[in-house]
Amino acid sequence: MLGRIVAVGLLGFALPVAAQEVDCANAEAQVELTYCAEQDWNAADKALNAAYKDAVAAAKEIDAGLDAKDQGALDYLKQAQRDWIKFRDDACAAEGYAMHGGTGEPMLIYGCRARLTRERTEGLYYVGSQD
């Protein structure tokens, strides 16, 4: 019973940011800044997924126009994306070390992920727009 009370009590600490409207343009508290950085990254990730979908379609179209022995656009795109995700996550973890162990570390990581994700999205739109 005590365990449930403690768990419910701890849940209450996580609810204030999620339960209230956060004005990211005027965020000041660390929890708000981190929340806003996470929301920015989520939006960037959503745009990346749309760009990747278009790039996959373009790569499939390229491969369809080639002999089987020459196909590989889709395979290279998929491998590049997997490699890029690892790069992004490692690079942003390293950037987060500027505030390692502090409450600002997640904010730095989310900010880095958003920035690098937007850059990657631009590159993928370029791939997807090739004729």
Side-chain angles (χ1 to χ4, degrees):
M1 181 69 168
L2 181 59
R4 282 189 198 167
I5 293 171
V6 171
V8 171
L10 290 175
L11 181 61
F13 288 111
L15 291 178
V17 171
Q20 66 183 349
E21 290 289 321
V22 174
D23 179 5
C24 290
N26 296 306
E28 293 181 14
Q30 185 60 59
V31 68
E32 293 173 330
L33 294 167
T34 298
Y35 172 83
C36 293
E38 181 181 20
Q39 297 311 300
D40 186 37
W41 176 57
N42 287 336
D45 193 52
K46 184 176 179 179
L48 173 71
N49 289 328
Y52 182 71
K53 182 179 176 184
D54 291 344
V56 165
K60 286 179 179 179
E61 190 174 319
I62 291 167
D63 279 346
L66 298 172
D67 291 334
K69 67 178 177 54
D70 293 326
Q71 293 178 359
L74 182 58
D75 291 337
Y76 279 111
L77 175 64
K78 287 180 177 181
Q79 186 60 52
Q81 190 66 7
R82 283 189 291 269
D83 293 345
W84 177 82
I85 290 168
K86 177 151 178 33
F87 162 77
R88 180 203 59 200
D89 291 350
D90 289 349
C92 292
E95 193 169 307
Y97 265 80
M99 296 184 112
H100 184 63
T103 59
E105 184 178 15
M107 178 191 67
L108 289 181
I109 292 170
Y110 286 134
C112 175
R113 285 182 177 181
R115 184 181 72 251
L116 294 181
T117 299
R118 283 190 293 271
E119 291 172 7
R120 176 68 176 158
T121 299
E122 288 179 31
L124 283 176
Y125 274 124
Y126 177 75
V127 170
S129 68
Q130 298 300 303
D131 293 325

